[in-house]
Amino acid sequence: NPICRKNKSWKFRYKQFYYRAQNFYKDVPASEEGMMGDFVEISEIDLEGSRQFLKKFGPGKAGTKRALDCGCGIGRVSKGVLFPVFESMEMLDMMEEFILHAHECYLGDYADQVEAYYLYNLQEFIPPTKRYDVIWLQWVACHLTDKDLMKFLMRAKQSLRPNGVIIIKDNMARQGCKLDPIDSSIIRQLDIMKNIIQTAGLTILDVEKQEGFPEAIVPVWMIAMR
């Protein structure tokens, strides 16, 4: 990953990498259309794929006390996938506008089930230990450098309750890695993502491709680990 290469300009490039992402999302509307990047027509397909994948690790296999939605945006995944399963939710995003819209408008009655909102960059967030049955990261792992993603996964592992799982759902490159300089997202090949996960000391439980998306869209995969 060229972002993580340590040379004289490394610190500047590192800060620029995260600054570009923050700057990009300032112009993204707090709506389902904004969260889906103008692909709102596939939102329900995406949510149904996530619901089915979560069932493999849901009631009877892992607890349903509490989940954490990382990079939650306005709460599209929380509302469509997580709230119906878990007694309570905690939600994290770096954009205050998204969290405010989630709480005040989008979540409706589900807002009463939110124990905490975290206004944090994921690379800086230290989750409480032994707290979550599921930690969900959708379209947010791509915004971390390899090293920061590995470090976050190590911290996340410590925050799982017994039989808890971490689920990453993200774009995966067909080959190698691709950096988008506009929103500072890194699309990694599935094997590269697996290597980061295993280097972080996690065991991969299941891997599944999201079906039903148009061919023009970068492949999206779901990975469960603990």
Side-chain angles (χ1 to χ4, degrees):
N1 181 353
I3 296 298
C4 293
R5 219 177 272 152
K6 289 196 175 183
N7 54 32
K8 290 180 181 179
S9 63
W10 178 78
K11 283 187 179 179
F12 172 76
R13 295 168 70 200
Y14 179 84
K15 288 179 181 177
Q16 283 292 104
F17 175 75
Y18 287 115
Y19 171 78
R20 280 196 301 266
Q22 190 113 18
N23 210 40
F24 173 83
Y25 281 103
K26 284 179 183 176
D27 295 325
V28 172
S31 64
E32 287 193 358
E33 289 80 3
M35 299 303 99
M36 293 300 293
D38 296 326
F39 286 99
V40 71
E41 69 275 5
I42 63 169
S43 181
E44 186 51 42
I45 298 170
D46 167 67
L47 294 173
E48 181 58 23
S50 297
R51 286 189 285 261
Q52 294 304 317
F53 190 69
L54 181 61
K55 280 182 181 178
K56 299 179 181 182
F57 312 99
K61 294 167 183 148
T64 56
K65 182 176 175 60
R66 185 184 295 109
L68 173 66
D69 185 0
C70 296
C72 64
I74 64 169
R76 186 188 67 90
V77 173
S78 287
K79 186 176 182 178
V81 179
L82 303 173
F83 275 113
V85 175
F86 295 94
E87 294 173 32
S88 63
M89 285 290 306
E90 296 184 3
M91 300 170 65
L92 176 147
D93 203 275
M94 66 177 179
M95 305 305 294
E96 186 175 12
E97 181 187 0
F98 295 166
I99 287 178
L100 286 173
H101 184 75
H103 182 71
E104 294 172 359
C105 304
Y106 185 75
L107 295 179
D109 291 341
Y110 280 137
D112 295 336
Q113 290 174 239
V114 180
E115 282 191 281
Y117 296 100
Y118 298 105
L119 185 61
Y120 266 93
N121 293 304
L122 196 58
Q123 70 272 16
E124 297 169 352
F125 182 63
I126 301 174
T129 57
K130 298 180 181 178
R131 184 165 178 83
Y132 305 110
D133 295 299
V134 165
I135 298 175
W136 191 280
L137 297 92
Q138 181 155 348
W139 289 320
V140 67
C142 59
H143 287 296
L144 297 185
T145 64
D146 292 359
K147 187 175 180 180
D148 282 342
L149 177 55
M150 182 184 71
K151 285 182 175 180
F152 176 76
L153 290 175
M154 292 170 72
R155 298 194 298 272
K157 181 180 180 181
Q158 299 303 314
S159 72
L160 291 176
R161 285 159 49 86
N163 298 316
V165 294
I166 301 164
I167 294 175
I168 290 177
K169 185 170 187 178
D170 221 314
N171 300 336
M172 301 288 170
R174 292 179 175 88
Q175 189 173 1
C177 284
K178 182 181 178 183
L179 171 66
D180 186 330
I182 297 172
D183 68 355
S184 279
S185 62
I186 304 167
I187 303 175
R188 302 171 172 95
Q189 189 176 352
L190 182 60
D191 285 346
I192 294 172
M193 181 65 84
K194 286 180 179 178
N195 183 257
I196 292 171
I197 291 165
Q198 290 163 342
T199 303
L202 288 138
T203 300
I204 294 172
L205 306 175
D206 200 359
V207 179
E208 185 178 310
K209 186 180 180 183
Q210 171 68 55
E211 300 294 345
F213 281 4
E215 279 298 312
I217 292 178
V218 176
V220 172
W221 287 77
M222 295 170 279
I223 311 171
M225 67 204 80
R226 70 163 60 101

